[in-house]
Amino acid sequence: MIGVLVSGNGGNLQALLDAGLPISAVASNRNDAYALVRARDAGVPTATFSLDCHADREERDLVMATWLEEHNVDIVVLAGYMHLLTKPFLDRFSDRIVNVHPSLLPDFPGGHAILDALAAGVETTGVTIHLVDEGMDTGTVLRQEAVPLEPRETLEQRLHAVEHRLLPAVVREMIAR
């Protein structure tokens, strides 16, 4: 079963749902994330794990990991989740956490990859699906696909289209292992 961590709109979550993947739980660090509405509409249990409610990130991550395990989660997918996970969480789901990132890593890690690519003036950026480790966007790359920067006005939509195709395919492969 898949647990999905979200922080925002939930476009990648919707792609996973539309692909018919077995999602058993969706968690967020923000109670106003629209992705939670998408999950509830699909009948998937949701929970919010705000840092405000915990002593520190480590405690929050342990509580969240326990909740995911209670929902029989084997694989965790970060679909626009904008917090780094702590070692105790990573240890609980070792080599079973995957992230989608809007650049060709190792280029442009972090939360501003699209803006960073635009500022750098590169001709091509892309999408990376990778395993999550303790670093920021440093885990083993599972799949990448290049996306031309131009035309700039459609870059985000084109990146999202690739994310929505690649992420479900990679997650389906992980389940099959």
Side-chain angles (χ1 to χ4, degrees):
M1 294 298 257
I2 301 165
V4 183
L5 304 186
V6 296
S7 290
N9 183 47
N12 282 311
L13 169 63
Q14 191 64 56
L16 295 167
L17 291 166
D18 291 348
L21 292 165
I23 298 172
S24 63
V26 174
S28 182
N29 60 306
R30 296 180 41 203
N31 64 3
D32 64 343
Y34 185 71
L36 296 172
V37 174
R38 292 178 188 262
R40 285 191 292 269
D41 287 351
V44 177
T46 64
T48 301
F49 299 90
S50 172
L51 281 175
D52 305 1
C53 300
H54 300 279
D56 55 27
R57 256 182 218 269
E58 205 166 273
E59 177 187 284
R60 187 269 318 263
D61 286 0
L62 284 170
V63 172
M64 185 166 57
T66 299
W67 183 81
L68 291 169
E69 288 173 338
E70 289 169 353
H71 286 83
N72 301 311
V73 168
D74 297 312
I75 295 171
V76 177
V77 177
L78 279 56
Y81 188 69
M82 299 305 288
H83 277 192
L84 288 176
L85 295 165
T86 59
K87 185 167 175 27
F89 187 99
L90 297 171
D91 289 347
R92 297 269 284 272
F93 295 98
S94 182
D95 295 323
R96 296 178 290 134
I97 306 171
V98 66
N99 185 40
V100 58
H101 185 76
S103 79
L104 295 174
L105 292 173
D107 294 340
F108 314 116
H112 305 287
I114 296 171
L115 292 174
D116 292 346
L118 290 168
V122 296
E123 290 184 19
T124 303
T125 187
V127 172
T128 300
I129 312 295
H130 66 94
L131 291 177
V132 175
D133 61 15
E134 289 184 62
M136 182 178 296
D137 298 322
T138 57
T140 303
V141 171
L142 301 174
R143 180 114 19 109
Q144 290 184 310
E145 186 172 313
V147 175
L149 206 67
E150 299 295 342
R152 289 178 182 217
E153 57 274 1
T154 63
L155 178 59
E156 269 192 72
Q157 295 90 339
R158 290 181 291 117
L159 286 168
H160 289 316
V162 173
E163 289 174 355
H164 298 168
R165 181 172 41 78
L166 284 187
L167 184 60
V170 170
V171 171
R172 190 174 305 283
E173 290 169 10
M174 289 181 73
I175 291 169
R177 288 189 214 165

